[in-house]
Structures are given as C-alpha cells and as structure tokens.
Amino acid sequence: MKKIIIPVITLLTVACYNNSESEVLGRNGLCRKLSPCIEDAFAYYIKHEDNPDTSTIYLMEFLVGEPGFPQDDTLILFCACCNRQLADGIKGIMTIGEYKVLVFDKQNVGNKFYNVDSLVDIDLDRLCLPSSENLINCYAFVLDGDSNLYLLGCQPDDFVPIKIDRE
C-alpha cells in the first residue's frame, strides 16, 4: 500500500505545482507577463477609445529611432488593429484585461516591458482583421529616460505621467 500512496502523492503535488500562476513581479524572481506601466498605458488608451470592443484586436508596438525623435527615445503605440497596419516584428498575441493585443517589437526594445514566454504565437495570414481605416485611433507614449511614460502630443487634463515600475 505504501508503494502506491507515495507515487500518487508525488503525482498530485507535481500536477498542482504546474497549474500555479506565475504572474507576480517582485522579489521572488518570477516574471509577470506585462509591466504594470504598460497595463496602465493601455487602460488609459481604452478609456479614451470612442467604442472599445472586446472583439476588436488591438496593436501594441514598440519603436525606437523614429524620424523626428532622438535615437534612444522609445515609443509605445496602441491602436485598434487593421490589415493595413500589420508589419514585420510580430512577437505574438496576449490578453490585457478582456482585450486581445498583438505585440510588435521588431527591434526588441520593449522586452523589458513584457515576457516573451507569455505571448501566444499567431498566424497573421489566418487572422481576419478589418481593412477600414476608420478604426484607427492611436495613442503613442514616449519613455522619458527610465522613469515615466508620457502621452505624445497634447496632454489631456486627465493625463498623469505613468511611473515605470521595473523591479
């Protein structure tokens, strides 16, 4: 009887361990799927969307060295996704809250803000996206050194710089 109970207990312990969540960022060394500052920036973008829709796929793109910006400025762009916007550099898709978000990072500058292992691979050719440009309402955030994210362009009254909290 002992020979049966010990393997069963071991199997149950391993099975329970594998189902545990590992989205906690902090001192224990585990990584979360997305930095809280990016979640806050996306939440701000969704809050100001005219018609946010959980069936719409959104785009998050990390860019550096864009014309008109210093070489080391990192831009983080959020848009409702349509076929005309898709470019090289797709890393995968993730869920932020209730929303599906395609992650683009051709230059690997955003890898401090998301965990690549948490992204799901996706075949863009099989993804059905609207082609209408009417869906395009983008927000761009710029990384100010290593301390804050600022909304690019006019600062609405309700915008507060988003603290970058990398641990």
Side-chain angles (χ1 to χ4, degrees), residues 98-124:
E98 301 174 2
Y99 301 94
K100 300 290 183 202
V101 180
L102 287 172
V103 178
F104 288 83
D105 190 5
K106 185 176 183 177
Q107 299 157 314
N108 295 317
V109 294
N111 55 8
K112 299 173 203 149
F113 297 106
Y114 63 90
N115 182 343
V116 175
D117 295 335
S118 69
L119 300 176
V120 176
D121 288 333
I122 191 161
D123 180 4
L124 288 179

PDB file of all heavy atoms in Angstrom, residues 98-124:
ATOM      1  N   GLU A  98      -9.697  42.265 -20.760  1.00  0.00           N
ATOM      2  CA  GLU A  98     -10.574  41.485 -21.639  1.00  0.00           C
ATOM      3  C   GLU A  98     -10.199  41.630 -23.107  1.00  0.00           C
ATOM      4  O   GLU A  98     -10.884  41.110 -23.974  1.00  0.00           O
ATOM      5  CB  GLU A  98     -12.023  41.958 -21.452  1.00  0.00           C
ATOM      6  CG  GLU A  98     -12.540  41.827 -20.040  1.00  0.00           C
ATOM      7  CD  GLU A  98     -13.922  42.456 -19.890  1.00  0.00           C
ATOM      8  OE1 GLU A  98     -14.484  42.961 -20.885  1.00  0.00           O
ATOM      9  OE2 GLU A  98     -14.425  42.445 -18.767  1.00  0.00           O
ATOM     10  N   TYR A  99      -9.132  42.348 -23.405  1.00  0.00           N
ATOM     11  CA  TYR A  99      -8.788  42.707 -24.776  1.00  0.00           C
ATOM     12  C   TYR A  99      -7.649  41.864 -25.324  1.00  0.00           C
ATOM     13  O   TYR A  99      -6.677  41.597 -24.625  1.00  0.00           O
ATOM     14  CB  TYR A  99      -8.418  44.190 -24.840  1.00  0.00           C
ATOM     15  CG  TYR A  99      -9.535  45.091 -24.382  1.00  0.00           C
ATOM     16  CD1 TYR A  99      -9.605  45.533 -23.061  1.00  0.00           C
ATOM     17  CD2 TYR A  99     -10.535  45.482 -25.261  1.00  0.00           C
ATOM     18  CE1 TYR A  99     -10.640  46.343 -22.637  1.00  0.00           C
ATOM     19  CE2 TYR A  99     -11.572  46.287 -24.843  1.00  0.00           C
ATOM     20  CZ  TYR A  99     -11.626  46.716 -23.537  1.00  0.00           C
ATOM     21  OH  TYR A  99     -12.659  47.514 -23.112  1.00  0.00           O
ATOM     22  N   LYS A 100      -7.750  41.492 -26.598  1.00  0.00           N
ATOM     23  CA  LYS A 100      -6.681  40.791 -27.310  1.00  0.00           C
ATOM     24  C   LYS A 100      -5.757  41.833 -27.930  1.00  0.00           C
ATOM     25  O   LYS A 100      -6.221  42.766 -28.604  1.00  0.00           O
ATOM     26  CB  LYS A 100      -7.242  39.893 -28.425  1.00  0.00           C
ATOM     27  CG  LYS A 100      -8.183  38.827 -27.925  1.00  0.00           C
ATOM     28  CD  LYS A 100      -7.434  37.787 -27.161  1.00  0.00           C
ATOM     29  CE  LYS A 100      -8.382  36.685 -26.719  1.00  0.00           C
ATOM     30  NZ  LYS A 100      -7.882  35.940 -25.611  1.00  0.00           N
ATOM     31  N   VAL A 101      -4.454  41.683 -27.700  1.00  0.00           N
ATOM     32  CA  VAL A 101      -3.483  42.678 -28.158  1.00  0.00           C
ATOM     33  C   VAL A 101      -2.343  41.978 -28.892  1.00  0.00           C
ATOM     34  O   VAL A 101      -1.671  41.108 -28.327  1.00  0.00           O
ATOM     35  CB  VAL A 101      -2.928  43.483 -26.957  1.00  0.00           C
ATOM     36  CG1 VAL A 101      -1.918  44.515 -27.432  1.00  0.00           C
ATOM     37  CG2 VAL A 101      -4.050  44.145 -26.174  1.00  0.00           C
ATOM     38  N   LEU A 102      -2.128  42.371 -30.149  1.00  0.00           N
ATOM     39  CA  LEU A 102      -0.975  41.894 -30.914  1.00  0.00           C
ATOM     40  C   LEU A 102       0.234  42.714 -30.485  1.00  0.00           C
ATOM     41  O   LEU A 102       0.155  43.941 -30.400  1.00  0.00           O
ATOM     42  CB  LEU A 102      -1.186  42.098 -32.415  1.00  0.00           C
ATOM     43  CG  LEU A 102      -2.167  41.176 -33.108  1.00  0.00           C
ATOM     44  CD1 LEU A 102      -2.393  41.648 -34.549  1.00  0.00           C
ATOM     45  CD2 LEU A 102      -1.656  39.754 -33.100  1.00  0.00           C
ATOM     46  N   VAL A 103       1.347  42.044 -30.240  1.00  0.00           N
ATOM     47  CA  VAL A 103       2.565  42.722 -29.802  1.00  0.00           C
ATOM     48  C   VAL A 103       3.563  42.724 -30.951  1.00  0.00           C
ATOM     49  O   VAL A 103       3.935  41.674 -31.463  1.00  0.00           O
ATOM     50  CB  VAL A 103       3.173  42.028 -28.558  1.00  0.00           C
ATOM     51  CG1 VAL A 103       4.463  42.718 -28.142  1.00  0.00           C
ATOM     52  CG2 VAL A 103       2.168  42.012 -27.414  1.00  0.00           C
ATOM     53  N   PHE A 104       3.993  43.926 -31.348  1.00  0.00           N
ATOM     54  CA  PHE A 104       5.004  44.109 -32.378  1.00  0.00           C
ATOM     55  C   PHE A 104       6.220  44.762 -31.737  1.00  0.00           C
ATOM     56  O   PHE A 104       6.095  45.758 -31.023  1.00  0.00           O
ATOM     57  CB  PHE A 104       4.489  45.002 -33.515  1.00  0.00           C
ATOM     58  CG  PHE A 104       3.474  44.340 -34.384  1.00  0.00           C
ATOM     59  CD1 PHE A 104       2.147  44.299 -34.013  1.00  0.00           C
ATOM     60  CD2 PHE A 104       3.854  43.750 -35.571  1.00  0.00           C
ATOM     61  CE1 PHE A 104       1.206  43.685 -34.809  1.00  0.00           C
ATOM     62  CE2 PHE A 104       2.917  43.123 -36.388  1.00  0.00           C
ATOM     63  CZ  PHE A 104       1.586  43.094 -36.002  1.00  0.00           C
ATOM     64  N   ASP A 105       7.380  44.196 -32.004  1.00  0.00           N
ATOM     65  CA  ASP A 105       8.613  44.728 -31.414  1.00  0.00           C
ATOM     66  C   ASP A 105       9.784  44.300 -32.293  1.00  0.00           C
ATOM     67  O   ASP A 105      10.617  43.491 -31.901  1.00  0.00           O
ATOM     68  CB  ASP A 105       8.767  44.212 -29.977  1.00  0.00           C
ATOM     69  CG  ASP A 105       9.879  44.899 -29.209  1.00  0.00           C
ATOM     70  OD1 ASP A 105      10.492  45.850 -29.755  1.00  0.00           O
ATOM     71  OD2 ASP A 105      10.140  44.476 -28.080  1.00  0.00           O
ATOM     72  N   LYS A 106       9.852  44.866 -33.491  1.00  0.00           N
ATOM     73  CA  LYS A 106      10.861  44.482 -34.480  1.00  0.00           C
ATOM     74  C   LYS A 106      12.289  44.650 -33.967  1.00  0.00           C
ATOM     75  O   LYS A 106      13.162  43.854 -34.255  1.00  0.00           O
ATOM     76  CB  LYS A 106      10.659  45.300 -35.753  1.00  0.00           C
ATOM     77  CG  LYS A 106      11.580  44.910 -36.880  1.00  0.00           C
ATOM     78  CD  LYS A 106      11.262  45.689 -38.128  1.00  0.00           C
ATOM     79  CE  LYS A 106      12.138  45.255 -39.274  1.00  0.00           C
ATOM     80  NZ  LYS A 106      11.800  45.943 -40.513  1.00  0.00           N
ATOM     81  N   GLN A 107      12.521  45.692 -33.155  1.00  0.00           N
ATOM     82  CA  GLN A 107      13.882  45.997 -32.698  1.00  0.00           C
ATOM     83  C   GLN A 107      14.160  45.449 -31.291  1.00  0.00           C
ATOM     84  O   GLN A 107      15.209  45.728 -30.724  1.00  0.00           O
ATOM     85  CB  GLN A 107      14.088  47.511 -32.722  1.00  0.00           C
ATOM     86  CG  GLN A 107      13.923  48.075 -34.122  1.00  0.00           C
ATOM     87  CD  GLN A 107      13.566  49.550 -34.084  1.00  0.00           C
ATOM     88  OE1 GLN A 107      12.708  49.978 -33.320  1.00  0.00           O
ATOM     89  NE2 GLN A 107      14.221  50.322 -34.929  1.00  0.00           N
ATOM     90  N   ASN A 108      13.226  44.707 -30.731  1.00  0.00           N
ATOM     91  CA  ASN A 108      13.368  44.120 -29.379  1.00  0.00           C
ATOM     92  C   ASN A 108      13.673  45.168 -28.317  1.00  0.00           C
ATOM     93  O   ASN A 108      14.456  44.936 -27.415  1.00  0.00           O
ATOM     94  CB  ASN A 108      14.444  43.033 -29.367  1.00  0.00           C
ATOM     95  CG  ASN A 108      14.056  41.859 -30.230  1.00  0.00           C
ATOM     96  OD1 ASN A 108      12.913  41.408 -30.203  1.00  0.00           O
ATOM     97  ND2 ASN A 108      14.989  41.372 -31.018  1.00  0.00           N
ATOM     98  N   VAL A 109      13.035  46.329 -28.414  1.00  0.00           N
ATOM     99  CA  VAL A 109      13.252  47.376 -27.426  1.00  0.00           C
ATOM    100  C   VAL A 109      12.234  47.306 -26.283  1.00  0.00           C
ATOM    101  O   VAL A 109      12.435  47.917 -25.245  1.00  0.00           O
ATOM    102  CB  VAL A 109      13.226  48.790 -28.054  1.00  0.00           C
ATOM    103  CG1 VAL A 109      14.388  48.970 -29.000  1.00  0.00           C
ATOM    104  CG2 VAL A 109      11.899  49.063 -28.742  1.00  0.00           C
ATOM    105  N   GLY A 110      11.165  46.569 -26.469  1.00  0.00           N
ATOM    106  CA  GLY A 110      10.126  46.500 -25.442  1.00  0.00           C
ATOM    107  C   GLY A 110      10.221  45.296 -24.540  1.00  0.00           C
ATOM    108  O   GLY A 110       9.391  45.102 -23.666  1.00  0.00           O
ATOM    109  N   ASN A 111      11.267  44.483 -24.733  1.00  0.00           N
ATOM    110  CA  ASN A 111      11.340  43.240 -23.966  1.00  0.00           C
ATOM    111  C   ASN A 111      11.514  43.460 -22.461  1.00  0.00           C
ATOM    112  O   ASN A 111      11.411  42.523 -21.696  1.00  0.00           O
ATOM    113  CB  ASN A 111      12.407  42.302 -24.523  1.00  0.00           C
ATOM    114  CG  ASN A 111      13.766  42.947 -24.605  1.00  0.00           C
ATOM    115  OD1 ASN A 111      13.974  44.056 -24.122  1.00  0.00           O
ATOM    116  ND2 ASN A 111      14.690  42.261 -25.237  1.00  0.00           N
ATOM    117  N   LYS A 112      11.765  44.707 -22.033  1.00  0.00           N
ATOM    118  CA  LYS A 112      11.798  44.998 -20.593  1.00  0.00           C
ATOM    119  C   LYS A 112      10.385  45.119 -20.038  1.00  0.00           C
ATOM    120  O   LYS A 112      10.196  45.129 -18.837  1.00  0.00           O
ATOM    121  CB  LYS A 112      12.526  46.320 -20.337  1.00  0.00           C
ATOM    122  CG  LYS A 112      13.950  46.341 -20.795  1.00  0.00           C
ATOM    123  CD  LYS A 112      14.504  47.748 -20.654  1.00  0.00           C
ATOM    124  CE  LYS A 112      15.662  47.897 -21.609  1.00  0.00           C
ATOM    125  NZ  LYS A 112      15.845  49.226 -22.109  1.00  0.00           N
ATOM    126  N   PHE A 113       9.398  45.241 -20.935  1.00  0.00           N
ATOM    127  CA  PHE A 113       8.038  45.519 -20.522  1.00  0.00           C
ATOM    128  C   PHE A 113       7.080  44.330 -20.656  1.00  0.00           C
ATOM    129  O   PHE A 113       5.967  44.392 -20.170  1.00  0.00           O
ATOM    130  CB  PHE A 113       7.479  46.686 -21.330  1.00  0.00           C
ATOM    131  CG  PHE A 113       8.231  47.962 -21.108  1.00  0.00           C
ATOM    132  CD1 PHE A 113       9.088  48.451 -22.074  1.00  0.00           C
ATOM    133  CD2 PHE A 113       8.095  48.669 -19.925  1.00  0.00           C
ATOM    134  CE1 PHE A 113       9.787  49.634 -21.874  1.00  0.00           C
ATOM    135  CE2 PHE A 113       8.785  49.846 -19.707  1.00  0.00           C
ATOM    136  CZ  PHE A 113       9.634  50.327 -20.686  1.00  0.00           C
ATOM    137  N   TYR A 114       7.490  43.285 -21.354  1.00  0.00           N
ATOM    138  CA  TYR A 114       6.626  42.110 -21.477  1.00  0.00           C
ATOM    139  C   TYR A 114       7.487  40.851 -21.463  1.00  0.00           C
ATOM    140  O   TYR A 114       8.668  40.876 -21.778  1.00  0.00           O
ATOM    141  CB  TYR A 114       5.769  42.160 -22.750  1.00  0.00           C
ATOM    142  CG  TYR A 114       6.572  42.147 -24.031  1.00  0.00           C
ATOM    143  CD1 TYR A 114       6.908  40.945 -24.653  1.00  0.00           C
ATOM    144  CD2 TYR A 114       6.998  43.319 -24.621  1.00  0.00           C
ATOM    145  CE1 TYR A 114       7.651  40.929 -25.817  1.00  0.00           C
ATOM    146  CE2 TYR A 114       7.737  43.318 -25.784  1.00  0.00           C
ATOM    147  CZ  TYR A 114       8.057  42.124 -26.376  1.00  0.00           C
ATOM    148  OH  TYR A 114       8.795  42.107 -27.526  1.00  0.00           O
ATOM    149  N   ASN A 115       6.864  39.766 -21.075  1.00  0.00           N
ATOM    150  CA  ASN A 115       7.533  38.483 -21.034  1.00  0.00           C
ATOM    151  C   ASN A 115       7.208  37.737 -22.335  1.00  0.00           C
ATOM    152  O   ASN A 115       6.052  37.407 -22.585  1.00  0.00           O
ATOM    153  CB  ASN A 115       7.039  37.695 -19.814  1.00  0.00           C
ATOM    154  CG  ASN A 115       7.716  36.364 -19.664  1.00  0.00           C
ATOM    155  OD1 ASN A 115       8.324  35.846 -20.590  1.00  0.00           O
ATOM    156  ND2 ASN A 115       7.602  35.793 -18.483  1.00  0.00           N
ATOM    157  N   VAL A 116       8.202  37.498 -23.153  1.00  0.00           N
ATOM    158  CA  VAL A 116       8.001  36.842 -24.446  1.00  0.00           C
ATOM    159  C   VAL A 116       7.353  35.469 -24.274  1.00  0.00           C
ATOM    160  O   VAL A 116       6.523  35.065 -25.097  1.00  0.00           O
ATOM    161  CB  VAL A 116       9.349  36.708 -25.204  1.00  0.00           C
ATOM    162  CG1 VAL A 116       9.184  35.931 -26.489  1.00  0.00           C
ATOM    163  CG2 VAL A 116       9.931  38.076 -25.493  1.00  0.00           C
ATOM    164  N   ASP A 117       7.679  34.774 -23.190  1.00  0.00           N
ATOM    165  CA  ASP A 117       7.109  33.443 -22.959  1.00  0.00           C
ATOM    166  C   ASP A 117       5.611  33.479 -22.716  1.00  0.00           C
ATOM    167  O   ASP A 117       4.943  32.455 -22.815  1.00  0.00           O
ATOM    168  CB  ASP A 117       7.799  32.766 -21.775  1.00  0.00           C
ATOM    169  CG  ASP A 117       9.265  32.484 -22.055  1.00  0.00           C
ATOM    170  OD1 ASP A 117       9.640  32.366 -23.245  1.00  0.00           O
ATOM    171  OD2 ASP A 117      10.043  32.383 -21.093  1.00  0.00           O
ATOM    172  N   SER A 118       5.045  34.650 -22.392  1.00  0.00           N
ATOM    173  CA  SER A 118       3.610  34.746 -22.130  1.00  0.00           C
ATOM    174  C   SER A 118       2.814  35.017 -23.402  1.00  0.00           C
ATOM    175  O   SER A 118       1.593  35.005 -23.379  1.00  0.00           O
ATOM    176  CB  SER A 118       3.319  35.841 -21.104  1.00  0.00           C
ATOM    177  OG  SER A 118       3.583  37.112 -21.654  1.00  0.00           O
ATOM    178  N   LEU A 119       3.501  35.259 -24.516  1.00  0.00           N
ATOM    179  CA  LEU A 119       2.816  35.552 -25.772  1.00  0.00           C
ATOM    180  C   LEU A 119       2.441  34.271 -26.492  1.00  0.00           C
ATOM    181  O   LEU A 119       3.171  33.287 -26.460  1.00  0.00           O
ATOM    182  CB  LEU A 119       3.710  36.396 -26.676  1.00  0.00           C
ATOM    183  CG  LEU A 119       4.146  37.740 -26.109  1.00  0.00           C
ATOM    184  CD1 LEU A 119       5.107  38.422 -27.066  1.00  0.00           C
ATOM    185  CD2 LEU A 119       2.957  38.619 -25.820  1.00  0.00           C
ATOM    186  N   VAL A 120       1.306  34.311 -27.171  1.00  0.00           N
ATOM    187  CA  VAL A 120       0.842  33.172 -27.954  1.00  0.00           C
ATOM    188  C   VAL A 120       1.191  33.446 -29.409  1.00  0.00           C
ATOM    189  O   VAL A 120       0.924  34.537 -29.935  1.00  0.00           O
ATOM    190  CB  VAL A 120      -0.692  33.001 -27.797  1.00  0.00           C
ATOM    191  CG1 VAL A 120      -1.208  31.882 -28.678  1.00  0.00           C
ATOM    192  CG2 VAL A 120      -1.046  32.765 -26.337  1.00  0.00           C
ATOM    193  N   ASP A 121       1.811  32.460 -30.074  1.00  0.00           N
ATOM    194  CA  ASP A 121       2.122  32.600 -31.498  1.00  0.00           C
ATOM    195  C   ASP A 121       0.828  32.703 -32.294  1.00  0.00           C
ATOM    196  O   ASP A 121      -0.175  32.092 -31.954  1.00  0.00           O
ATOM    197  CB  ASP A 121       2.922  31.394 -32.001  1.00  0.00           C
ATOM    198  CG  ASP A 121       4.344  31.398 -31.480  1.00  0.00           C
ATOM    199  OD1 ASP A 121       4.874  32.478 -31.190  1.00  0.00           O
ATOM    200  OD2 ASP A 121       4.919  30.305 -31.350  1.00  0.00           O
ATOM    201  N   ILE A 122       0.885  33.470 -33.376  1.00  0.00           N
ATOM    202  CA  ILE A 122      -0.303  33.654 -34.200  1.00  0.00           C
ATOM    203  C   ILE A 122       0.110  33.740 -35.661  1.00  0.00           C
ATOM    204  O   ILE A 122       1.164  34.277 -35.987  1.00  0.00           O
ATOM    205  CB  ILE A 122      -1.072  34.916 -33.750  1.00  0.00           C
ATOM    206  CG1 ILE A 122      -2.426  34.964 -34.421  1.00  0.00           C
ATOM    207  CG2 ILE A 122      -0.291  36.167 -34.000  1.00  0.00           C
ATOM    208  CD1 ILE A 122      -3.409  35.869 -33.728  1.00  0.00           C
ATOM    209  N   ASP A 123      -0.720  33.192 -36.529  1.00  0.00           N
ATOM    210  CA  ASP A 123      -0.501  33.252 -37.970  1.00  0.00           C
ATOM    211  C   ASP A 123      -1.292  34.440 -38.512  1.00  0.00           C
ATOM    212  O   ASP A 123      -2.525  34.399 -38.560  1.00  0.00           O
ATOM    213  CB  ASP A 123      -0.954  31.948 -38.616  1.00  0.00           C
ATOM    214  CG  ASP A 123      -0.754  31.925 -40.116  1.00  0.00           C
ATOM    215  OD1 ASP A 123      -0.187  32.894 -40.669  1.00  0.00           O
ATOM    216  OD2 ASP A 123      -1.164  30.928 -40.739  1.00  0.00           O
ATOM    217  N   LEU A 124      -0.601  35.506 -38.900  1.00  0.00           N
ATOM    218  CA  LEU A 124      -1.289  36.710 -39.362  1.00  0.00           C
ATOM    219  C   LEU A 124      -2.112  36.476 -40.615  1.00  0.00           C
ATOM    220  O   LEU A 124      -3.112  37.149 -40.835  1.00  0.00           O
ATOM    221  CB  LEU A 124      -0.278  37.829 -39.616  1.00  0.00           C
ATOM    222  CG  LEU A 124       0.352  38.452 -38.381  1.00  0.00           C
ATOM    223  CD1 LEU A 124       1.353  39.527 -38.771  1.00  0.00           C
ATOM    224  CD2 LEU A 124      -0.706  39.031 -37.470  1.00  0.00           C
TER     225      LEU A 124
END
